[in-house]
Amino acid sequence: MHRALIVTANCYARYTPLQYCHVDGHLLRTTLEEWCSYSQGGVISHLRLERTPACATPRALLARICEFAGGAGDGSPFLFYFAGHGLYEERTQASYLLFPDSRPDDLDGTALPMRALRDTLAGLGRPIVQIFDACHSGEAFRGRGPDAAIVPNIRGFVTDLRRNVQRPDQFGWEMLAACDENEASYEDPELQQGVFTHTLAQAIRSAPAGADVQLESLKNVVCPRVRAWAEQCGVSQNPVFAARTFGPLPFAGRNRLTPPKPPTRSQPGAERAVSRHNMTLPVRRDTEIDLGQYVRASPGAAASRLALRVRFEADAVRYELVGAPWLTQTGRRVQPRFHVEPEQVLRGGPYGWQAQQIRCRFDEHHAFITFYDRAGAEVRLSVSIP
C-alpha cells in the first residue's frame, strides 16, 4: 500500500515567513487522492507545522514517520514531501529542515537535521521517494515579515540532498528538489502557490491514464516548465533530480479517466433535461467566463464563484479554472487557480465549488465544459474561439 507524509510550514518566528506552503501541501494531497491510486487504497497524512505549543517537534516527526510508514512491510515506496525552509549550516557542514520555532543558535535541538531524517527513512526498510520544496526565497515577501526575520543560508543544502540519496550502501531512493545549488524556490503571488509544487501537481494530473507516477518521468515535465517560468521572471530556478535505484520507482498510479456519472433518479434534479449553453468569443483576447451563472446551488448553500479563464499566448490557447477565495487554517486568504489540461476531470469539493465534478475538453478553437452542480443537474457549455 502506498503511503505519503506531507509536511508543510509557513510561519517562522526567526526566519522569513512564507505564504503558500500549506496550500501546496493541500494541492499535492488532493492530486494524489483524486487523480492517483491513493483513492483506491493509499494512505496520506498532511502535517501542518504551526507556531503553537501543540506543534510537532522534530523528534516527534521522526517518531511519526516510523509509526506511519514503518509497519506496512509490503515493499511499496514511501513518499516524504516537505515544503518550507531548508538551511545549510557551514560551521557544522550539516543541513536542516526548519520548524516554526527553529533557532539559529540551537539548530540540532529545534530543527530537523537531514542526517536524522535520512537515518529514520533508511530504517523503514522500503523504497524512499523524497520531494523537497525547501529552498524558499523570502524575496517575494521582503518587508512583510518582522524586522528580525532571517533569510536562511541555502548554499550547500541541495548538495546534501544529493549526497543522502546517492550513498553507496543504499538502493531504492529518489529525490526531486525544487531548485539547484545557489538558487531559490519561488512562490508566485499570481498563482498563490509555490511554482515548483504547482507544476508538479499539474504534471501528475496530465500523466497518461493508467500510467505509473514516478519522479524520473515527472522531472522531464517539471524541470523545463519551472525553468521557463523563472526565465520569464528574470530569476533562476532549476529543479534537481537524484536517484540510486535498480529501476523505475513508482510512488502512485494514475487513475483511468472516467466520465462523470449521470445523476440517478433519486438525486435532486435528476429528472431535469440537460442544460446546454453556447458561447462565441468575439475576438482572441484574454477572457474570464463566469460559470456560476449556469450552476444551481444546493438547498441552503451559498453560491461560490467559479470561472473559466481563457488566455492567449502566441498561437496557443491556455485554460484556467478559478475558484472563490477561501481561508486557510492560519486565516490566510487564498484563491484556488488551476491550469487545465486536455481531457481533465476536476472535483470541486475541496474548494467549495458548487460544481462537484468538471470535465474539460478543448482544442485551439473550441472548449467543452461538462459539470454537475451540487443540486444534481448536468450542465454543458460550448465555447467557440475565433
Side-chain angles (χ1 to χ4, degrees), residues 41 55 158 196 212 238 276 292 307 309 311 323 335 363:
C55 177
V158 177
F196 169 76
D212 286 336
N238 296 277
R276 293 181 172 85
R309 182 169 295 169
R311 302 175 62 181
Q335 184 177 39
D363 55 27

Side-chain angles (χ1 to χ4, degrees), residues 149-355:
I150 303 170
V151 178
N153 173 38
I154 57 179
R155 181 172 299 175
F157 183 80
V158 177
T159 299
D160 238 13
L161 296 182
R162 283 197 185 101
R163 187 182 300 119
N164 287 343
V165 169
Q166 297 172 334
R167 287 166 53 116
D169 58 341
Q170 66 188 22
F171 282 91
W173 285 52
E174 287 187 344
M175 182 276 297
L176 185 62
C179 60
D180 204 346
E181 203 67 270
N182 301 326
E183 296 179 344
S185 176
Y186 290 91
E187 295 183 314
D188 188 338
E190 182 179 348
L191 292 174
Q192 297 193 342
Q193 288 181 319
V195 176
F196 169 76
T197 299
H198 174 85
T199 307
L200 175 67
Q202 292 299 317
I204 294 173
R205 295 180 178 210
S206 60
D212 286 336
V213 179
Q214 50 188 317
L215 292 187
E216 190 168 6
S217 56
L218 289 174
K219 70 178 175 62
N220 297 326
V221 178
V222 173
C223 293
R225 289 185 180 180
V226 171
R227 188 180 303 115
W229 176 91
E231 290 175 354
Q232 290 179 353
C233 297
V235 295
S236 179
Q237 183 175 346
N238 296 277
V240 172
F241 172 76
R244 186 169 176 80
T245 65
F246 287 114
L249 192 60
F251 62 88
R254 178 68 165 76
N255 288 342
R256 296 189 179 277
L257 291 179
T258 56
K261 295 181 179 179
T264 63
R265 299 186 72 83
S266 62
Q267 291 177 295
E271 298 185 8
R272 290 184 58 184
V274 175
S275 175
R276 293 181 172 85
H277 306 273
N278 298 294
M279 176 182 299
T280 300
L281 300 184
V283 294
R284 294 177 68 89
R285 181 188 306 160
D286 290 1
T287 305
E288 188 168 286
I289 302 170
D290 178 18
L291 300 182
Q293 61 184 310
Y294 307 115
V295 178
R296 291 188 308 154
S298 53
S304 63
R305 179 175 181 270
L306 177 62
L308 176 70
R309 182 169 295 169
V310 186
R311 302 175 62 181
F312 297 94
E313 301 176 2
D315 295 329
V317 183
R318 301 282 184 260
Y319 296 87
E320 291 179 336
L321 281 174
V322 183
W326 56 288
L327 295 178
T328 66
Q329 291 184 345
T330 59
R332 196 178 304 280
R333 184 181 177 90
V334 298
Q335 184 177 39
R337 183 178 304 170
F338 295 100
H339 295 289
V340 181
E341 303 288 345
E343 298 294 336
Q344 272 195 302
V345 176
L346 298 101
R347 297 173 184 172
Y351 304 99
W353 296 346
Q354 292 300 328

Side-chain angles (χ1 to χ4, degrees), residues 37-52:
S37 51
Y38 284 86
S39 63
Q40 302 159 5
V43 180
I44 301 178
S45 178
H46 182 185
L47 178 61
R48 297 173 174 85
L49 303 179
E50 304 288 357
R51 290 183 58 198
T52 65

Side-chain angles (χ1 to χ4, degrees), residues 10-18 85 136-139 141-142 145-146 148-152:
N10 273 335
C11 300
Y12 288 89
R14 298 168 181 84
Y15 295 92
T16 307
L18 303 168
H85 273 312
H136 280 287
S137 166
E139 182 174 329
F141 312 105
R142 194 168 292 164
I150 303 170
V151 178

Side-chain angles (χ1 to χ4, degrees), residues 93-158:
Q93 296 186 347
S95 292
Y96 301 85
L97 299 181
L98 297 183
F99 277 50
D101 290 322
S102 294
R103 301 200 315 268
D105 60 345
D106 185 21
L107 290 173
D108 282 321
T110 61
L112 176 59
M114 289 300 301
R115 62 179 181 274
L117 176 63
R118 178 199 64 209
D119 293 344
T120 299
L121 295 175
L124 298 178
R126 60 193 300 174
I128 301 298
V129 175
Q130 302 173 90
I131 302 175
F132 294 102
D133 199 347
C135 296
H136 280 287
S137 166
E139 182 174 329
F141 312 105
R142 194 168 292 164
R144 289 191 181 179
D147 293 338
I150 303 170
V151 178
N153 173 38
I154 57 179
R155 181 172 299 175
F157 183 80
V158 177

